[in-house]
Amino acid sequence: MSESLTPPPSAPQTVPEANSYVPPKWRTEPRFPDGPAPDPAGSHHERRIRSFQPRRSRVTTGQGEALRRLWGTWGLDIDGHEVIDLKALFDGLPVVLEIGFGMGEATAQMAAADPGTGILAVDVHTPGQGNLLALAERSGLTNIRVANGDAIILLREMLAPGSLAGMRVYFPDPWPKARHHKRRLIQPEFLTLAASRLAPGAVLHCATDWEPYAEQMLEVLTAHPDFENTRPDGGFAPRPDFRPLTRFEGQGLDKGHLVHDLLFRRSEN
Ligand SMILES: C[S@@+](CC[C@H](N)C(=O)[O-])C[C@H]1O[C@@H](n2cnc3c(N)ncnc32)[C@H](O)[C@@H]1O
């Protein structure tokens, strides 16, 4: 009997449909049961330039434990589905949004020093979320909520116009390379969105240790019709006593960087 020379039928080929992007498993699977979702609004795949790089970083045992245990009570996934009732979430306290709290040490200190203000602290950084939850619990703080996801989605989809008593952006990623400048958070488009969510008279407080970014911040904030500088001289502000040194700031100071604060008020009109 002669053997058939016909090759065996090959396995059926699956051709991916156009735009059928399947994100890698680590971006979609929750690592902490009942904890933060990896990308709650799917914003990492939105066709938009983001101010952060999605990354998976090491979470310590303590941070993971805090995420599992405390997320259900103090955490909030930014899924973009509905407008948050800030009054209900913070028992009627005025609410300040902090964008990019990093490891959250400064956030916890500010919340402890001012229990009459609620802090809605947002970041995409999972270890930092766990760290801040643990710090808040240790100090018995009840005026912090930790939001997980992109601050742009939070502002755009989940915060009502005029609902914020203030906004803090401390040491946003400086994106020093020219080709990355478009990723910087403080840009005219962001300021228009931020202004719409701030109550008239509320202050946007930015700080950076990256000189060219400080200059850019001053330029776009000064030019923006919805903001006015709280400094009569139209320049940078000294660090106010209520802002503690942040972790990122400490690293900048160690490198000899100069730090600039900017405090701009949402105009009343
Ligand atoms: C350079 S770190 C500064 C952290 C902290 N404020 C400090 O001074 O130590 C900037 C932080 O902003 C976060 N971030 C950047 N863009 C963001 C966005 N669109 N939404 C939420 N967090 C963002 C990053 O994940 C990062 O943790």
Side-chain angles (χ1 to χ4, degrees), residues 174-243:
W175 294 111
K177 291 182 182 154
R179 69 173 192 278
H180 288 151
H181 285 180
K182 54 184 182 286
R183 287 183 174 273
R184 287 179 175 168
L185 195 62
I186 307 300
Q187 316 243 10
E189 200 185 350
F190 167 80
L191 293 178
T192 299
L193 177 61
S196 72
R197 293 336 189 222
L198 285 166
V203 169
L204 167 63
H205 183 185
C206 303
T208 181
D209 66 320
W210 192 249
E211 192 94 33
Y213 197 8
E215 295 295 344
Q216 178 187 334
M217 287 180 182
L218 186 61
E219 192 181 314
V220 293
L221 274 159
T222 304
H224 200 286
D226 296 336
F227 286 98
E228 40 198 59
N229 200 336
T230 60
R231 292 284 299 173
D233 63 6
F236 297 109
R239 175 166 69 88
D241 290 340
F242 65 81
R243 183 177 73 70

Side-chain angles (χ1 to χ4, degrees), residues 56-101:
R56 181 169 189 167
S57 20
R58 206 178 74 81
V59 173
T60 65
T61 311
Q63 292 159 358
E65 206 268 321
L67 288 169
R68 278 187 209 98
R69 208 162 40 75
L70 302 170
W71 188 257
T73 310
W74 306 106
L76 177 87
D77 274 314
I78 300 173
D79 56 17
H81 287 169
E82 58 194 28
V83 174
I84 303 166
D85 182 349
L86 286 180
K87 288 225 175 333
L89 193 62
F90 285 94
D91 285 334
L93 295 178
V95 177
V96 167
L97 173 68
E98 180 177 351
I99 299 179
F101 59 80

Side-chain angles (χ1 to χ4, degrees), residues 51-52 55 100-102 123-124 149-151 170-171 173 246-248:
S51 57
F52 61 90
R55 60 193 158 132
F101 59 80
D123 208 301
V124 289
D150 189 340
Y170 296 157
F171 304 89
D173 297 287
T246 77
R247 179 184 283 237
F248 199 81

